[in-house]
């Protein structure tokens, strides 16, 4: 059953409000340094990037809508048609990049409003990446309780991901 308050809340803030400073996701999209470090692909309405540092796991990617929107409810018809195929292609890239067998797909839209879909590698031998424990891993890295993914490993993965997606352009 749908809660009308949640439905209304999902509509609040759709589109970058005029006259307001850009949100964190929109700032990332315009940040040349962040793009050089983390961006893998910009194609049509989508941007594929690695999780910013400190990254909880090497290969934790994000698929962002380039347009400031709250989620699929706000898609234009062309965005809706392109989303599934792009999500599948990006998810399929996580496996060969990490060697891990599963990819979790999570989008909440509360910490940062614009649509950004987390593509999280899951390794069967790593209990920290299992189901909702991945949220505990995220918080532990953010608080400094657990080490982030090694910087060099993330850099190499981003370089490899760029090479693998170059043919998509």
């Amino acid at each position: 059953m749908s809660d009308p308050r949640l439905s209304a809340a999902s509509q609040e803030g759709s589109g970058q409000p005029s006259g307001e400073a850009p949100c964190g996701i929109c700032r990332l999209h315009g940040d040349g340094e962040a793009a050089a470090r983390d961006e893998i692909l910009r194609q049509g309405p989508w941007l594929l990037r690695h999780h910013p540092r400190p990254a909880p796991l090497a290969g934790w990617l994000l698929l962002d809508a380039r347009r400031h929107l709250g989620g699929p409810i706000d898609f234009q018809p062309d965005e809706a048609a392109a989303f599934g195929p792009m999500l599948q292609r990006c998810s399929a890239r996580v496996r060969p990049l990490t060697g891990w067998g599963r990819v979790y797909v999570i989008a909440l839209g509360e910490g940062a409003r614009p649509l950004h879909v987390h593509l999280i590698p899951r390794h069967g031998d790593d209990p920290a990446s299992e189901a909702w424990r991945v949220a505990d891993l995220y918080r532990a890295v953010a608080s400094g309780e657990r080490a982030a993914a090694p910087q060099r490993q993330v850099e190499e993965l981003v370089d490899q991901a760029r090479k693998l997606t170059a043919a998509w352009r």
Side-chain angles (χ1 to χ4, degrees), residues 20 28 36 57 61 76 85 87 125 132 142 157 164:
E20 291 188 19
L28 267 176
L57 297 167
L61 304 184
Q76 297 296 321
L87 180 61
D125 295 335
W132 288 107
L157 189 139
L164 287 171

Side-chain angles (χ1 to χ4, degrees), residues 66-98:
R66 290 178 59 196
R67 187 169 68 85
H68 187 94
L69 55 91
I73 195 167
D74 298 319
F75 282 166
Q76 297 296 321
D78 61 323
E79 292 166 332
F83 181 68
M86 182 57 87
L87 180 61
Q88 188 277 331
R89 290 175 92 185
C90 294
S91 297
R93 283 295 169 247
V94 174
R95 274 189 185 163
L97 290 168
T98 64

Side-chain angles (χ1 to χ4, degrees), residues 25-91:
I25 300 290
C26 293
R27 274 193 310 273
L28 267 176
H29 291 179
D31 181 339
E33 185 177 314
R37 183 182 57 242
D38 297 325
E39 190 173 305
I40 296 166
L41 175 75
R42 274 185 200 236
Q43 186 175 44
W46 313 115
L47 188 149
L48 180 64
R49 61 186 171 95
H50 198 280
H51 189 287
R53 310 313 183 273
L57 297 167
W60 185 312
L61 304 184
L62 292 112
L63 177 61
D64 300 346
R66 290 178 59 196
R67 187 169 68 85
H68 187 94
L69 55 91
I73 195 167
D74 298 319
F75 282 166
Q76 297 296 321
D78 61 323
E79 292 166 332
F83 181 68
M86 182 57 87
L87 180 61
Q88 188 277 331
R89 290 175 92 185
C90 294
S91 297

Side-chain angles (χ1 to χ4, degrees), residues 14 18-19 31-32 39 84 95 101 121 142 152 159 162-163:
S14 294
S18 62
D31 181 339
E39 190 173 305
R95 274 189 185 163
R152 186 72 190 133
D159 287 343
R162 288 174 176 157
K163 291 173 186 166

Side-chain angles (χ1 to χ4, degrees), residues 123-141:
H123 192 282
D125 295 335
D126 182 2
S129 69
E130 179 182 40
W132 288 107
R133 288 184 187 169
V134 77
D136 296 331
L137 168 67
Y138 188 94
R139 286 188 291 273
V141 170

